[in-house]
Amino acid sequence: MATQQLVREASDLAQDSPRSPEARLGMKVEDLWDVMEPQLTPSEKFNACFESIPVSSFPYSESQVIEIRSDTSLADAVKILAENKILSAPVVDVDAPEDATWMDRYLGIVEFAGIVVWILHQSEPPSPRSPNSPSAVQLATNGMSRAIGPEVLSPDDATVTSGSFFEVLTASEFYKSTKVRDISGSFRWAPFLALQKSNSFLTMMLLLSKYKMKSIPIVDLGEGKIDNIVTQSAVIHMLAECVGLQWFESWGTKTLSEVGLPLTSPNQMIKVHEDEPVLQAFKLMRKKKIGGLPVVEKETGKTVGNISLIDVQFLLTAPEIYREYRSITAKNFLTAVRSYLKEHDETSPIVNGMVTCTRRDTMKELILKLDSKRIHRVYVVDNAGNLEGVVTLRDIISRLVNEPRGYFGDFFDGFLPLPSNSRV
């Protein structure tokens, strides 16, 4: 029934094309598709079409161009990210001269997960020579009983980082006074790699897929500022708006199996057990460079929910919801956040649980589902509901384009390096 509904919606959408800036962009691809050499393979045609369109053609979204000043406090940075429902934002150096180039104007990208991981690192002893000395967070909260190691957290560590810890932390002067620029060398910033308006769609899509970038700033060289930010979600929305166009239908009607998805097998999937600290989930996402993972029962392996990188905001923006919990395990995190959102009549993917599909679903059905629900991943299940894999926005984009040999050349030589004292 759901599949029929999606197909019906796709048919309706196709009748009023072009109906949006994204659909008009799709028409540009359509025009190019029609004149491509017939001997080209579908993959080669996609590459050629996207290489012929500059990223300046991508629809501008004012809501996506959110910048954070380097003198913003951690508390305010978290608030900005949460209110705008974004995972990260470029940091503007307030000390940069007015005529600075874009590389001198921006310090990097600050992320939700980076802030939380940095806070955890501050709970470690300052040095092996003085393991009993209080850390910055310990002094600020006066509530940490021991340090939390940077690698693997055991179930016992969930007690250390209880709701009271985050509640006291977010009320502390330490949290309110520490500036975004103060932590730029203490955790791994996302590399600030930007595109110029003249760069191609193909370059953008390769960076969003093969090179695992979740968003890409588009800079105006004349102004030395960011003109637009293109996200993986925005590209998927563009594809959803292109339903009914010849070039999209030639690919979109294929099933997941036919295009080689999912890319991961069940035993390769990164997951956390429901009794593990929720912080372990966020640490794994950072370490493995993924945007979300399933929470599973320890005994059966059955999934009980999904935690995404954006959900880290609830540790810092609503710590009071854990006040009654002895520990913040992955299960307790899901339960507390769902209750909190329902009480406040807020909608979120975390409330509805995991969204699933099968290998028999088409790419069109999957794209429409991801776009309508505004989620970043769908879990693939078999007929019995057992987890078979996951398909992310990045996976879908990667099925459309392939990197030609030597395509990037020395392209990556120009982006800002990570801080030398980066620790995460």
Side-chain angles (χ1 to χ4, degrees), residues 124-135 138:
E124 298 174 43
S127 73
R129 295 182 182 180
S130 54
N132 296 320
S133 299
S135 66
Q138 286 172 314

Side-chain angles (χ1 to χ4, degrees), residues 190-216:
F192 189 76
L193 195 159
L195 291 179
Q196 301 175 29
K197 289 183 176 182
S198 59
N199 286 121
S200 74
F201 246 62
L202 178 59
T203 301
M204 177 190 75
M205 294 180 75
L206 287 171
L207 292 176
L208 290 172
S209 56
K210 180 176 179 179
Y211 292 92
K212 301 183 178 182
M213 295 184 67
K214 291 181 172 57
S215 62
I216 301 178

Side-chain angles (χ1 to χ4, degrees), residues 29 33 36-50 247 250-251 254 399-402:
V29 179
W33 188 269
M36 287 293 169
E37 296 295 331
Q39 68 268 24
L40 293 179
T41 66
S43 178
E44 290 171 335
K45 290 184 79 170
F46 276 125
N47 267 24
C49 287
F50 292 129
W247 68 269
S250 68
W251 171 80
K254 294 181 179 180
R399 299 295 90 179
L400 272 173
V401 294
N402 294 287

Side-chain angles (χ1 to χ4, degrees), residues 32 37 54 59 105 115 152 156 167 218 221 223 245 261 387:
L32 291 166
E37 296 295 331
R105 186 182 300 276
I115 293 175
V152 178
D156 291 338
E167 191 169 11
I218 311 299
L221 290 184
E223 294 291 325
L245 298 177
L261 294 177
L387 201 57

Side-chain angles (χ1 to χ4, degrees), residues 108-182:
I109 303 289
V110 66
E111 305 170 297
F112 262 133
I115 293 175
V116 171
V117 173
W118 178 80
I119 287 172
L120 290 181
H121 276 304
Q122 305 315 297
S123 67
E124 298 174 43
S127 73
R129 295 182 182 180
S130 54
N132 296 320
S133 299
S135 66
V137 171
Q138 286 172 314
L139 289 172
T141 64
N142 196 28
M144 289 289 291
S145 59
R146 61 188 177 88
I148 303 172
E151 298 303 326
V152 178
L153 298 173
S154 70
D156 291 338
D157 287 310
T159 303
V160 178
T161 52
S162 63
S164 60
F165 167 72
F166 282 101
E167 191 169 11
V168 174
L169 169 66
T170 53
S172 70
E173 188 58 34
F174 165 78
Y175 182 64
K176 294 176 180 178
S177 62
T178 301
K179 307 299 183 184
V180 170
R181 64 185 169 209
D182 297 334

Side-chain angles (χ1 to χ4, degrees), residues 219-233:
V219 297
D220 184 321
L221 290 184
E223 294 291 325
K225 296 179 180 179
I226 293 175
D227 181 70
N228 197 3
I229 295 180
V230 179
T231 65
Q232 291 177 345
S233 296

